[in-house]
Amino acid sequence: GGTAPPAPRTVGGGASLGSSLVSPSSGSGASSSASQSVAAYDVLLQGAVADFVNAASDATLKDTHAAKAAAVLKEAFDALKPVLVAIASCKKPANPGDIQSHLQPVASALEAANKLTMGKRTDYDHHVRAVSEFLNALQFVCFVEKGQGLSLPAPHVEESWQSAEFYGNKVLVQNRNSGPSGEPHVAYIKKLKEVSTALRDYVKAHHTTGPAWNPSGGDLKTFKAGGGGAAAAAKSIPAPPPPPPPGFFDEPRAAPAAGGGMSALMGELNQGSGVTTGLKKVTDDMKTKNRTDKSGAVPGGSAKPQQTTAAPAAAAKKMPPKMALEGGRKWVVEHQVNATDLVIDKCDMRQTVYLYKCEGSVLQIKGKVNGICMDQCKKTAIVFQDAVAQCEVVNCTSVQIQVDGSVPTIQVDKTDGVQIYLMGEKSNDVSILTAKSSEMNVLTKPANPDDDMLESPLPEQYESKFDAKSGKWTTVAVAHSG
């Protein structure tokens, strides 16, 4: 699928737009079809979307990034309704870009969702990423024709959910067996999937081959939700600014030179031999041949050259190191520098471990935890026994991971340099996911204990080929040589 260009946010409409569903020029058949289209979307808003927002309001998720993402989703779906009203009320524009002004609120909501995925990581990153990826489904209204970026509306919605499901599954894996404390997280993803299913069914029924424009409708450029049409559009154009004051564009005049300017200079040159009377005379001791100092250095005068030194750049603020258990669920290890004796020995499988901006440090985790994440660390190593969900490495440089027990998944994202040591008997049963990373190596124990560790590089380069028979691209890793 493609993406719609972001635009500044405006206020999205709601149920009050029902009265301006169809322009006066529409026929009764078009009016009926438009009414059904927008009425069906209202059912989606009051059903699946409302259920998802309600699931996000659980006390466990209140005031979290997950709840904020749900609010942004509600904004985006509300903002899409005026766009659907415009589509139902107007004929297909000759220029597909004409719809962009109507999409401004939707694009703004998508941008807000994307901003929630940035910055310092939280326990709800996967919730937020699932919502952010799914919201791309709302771009189905930008479909023009096949081969121009977007898939047909229903397949586009399905593709967007597949991207979101990658993160949704992580939430389910982490919380499915966590008892009552994990139920709100599981419900959050399940309700989000129901929104996806409802939206897919909606576009299948009402926008099957693209946005269902009204052949008898008005002009999209002049359409205003509220029935103002061209007149309303004309009223919205601001008055031109007042003209500049007189003389604003005149060229500035140069001030006359002291002493009469050019005419005075020409007069002095016409003095003949008298033109040099004002010059200083060069004495014998000033001549180079008579100087005792042959270095060519100019004698220092009383005036010292002005020295210009650049102001020193402000030093980055040094944050205090931190290692603490927050809320009984999350171990936070932050800003540790050259700390090679960090140990977490009192942990359980409900807790997660989060390393943030550590450098030259080593952390050992004794026991089983739910998940581990290294974020923006440099030359840092982590040694752990078992992790129930996954170990994640993101935005790191030259880090090491040692697994003495087992972990289902190791995910490496935007990292340059990672060594993964699989030391346990069950460590090799891991799945390693990589994206936008380089210099990745996996070391495993050999069959013979006397042999060296087996080192295997993970691929960084891939080759894609198009299969004309199947009409699909196939991608394979480029084998390392040497």
Side-chain angles (χ1 to χ4, degrees), residues 414-428:
K414 299 178 183 177
T415 293
D416 295 322
V418 57
Q419 299 279 102
I420 302 174
Y421 295 84
L422 303 177
M423 308 300 292
E425 294 182 0
K426 297 182 179 180
S427 299
N428 290 356

Side-chain angles (χ1 to χ4, degrees), residues 21-22 29-43 88 202 205-206:
L21 207 55
V22 183
S31 175
S32 175
S33 175
S35 299
Q36 293 176 7
S37 171
V38 180
Y41 189 74
D42 278 335
V43 172
Y202 167 77
H206 299 280

Side-chain angles (χ1 to χ4, degrees), residues 156-174:
H156 174 69
V157 173
E158 189 64 32
E159 290 166 6
S160 300
W161 171 248
Q162 289 173 1
S163 298
E165 194 173 28
F166 175 79
Y167 297 101
N169 286 341
K170 292 186 177 185
V171 177
L172 296 178
V173 169
Q174 290 175 347

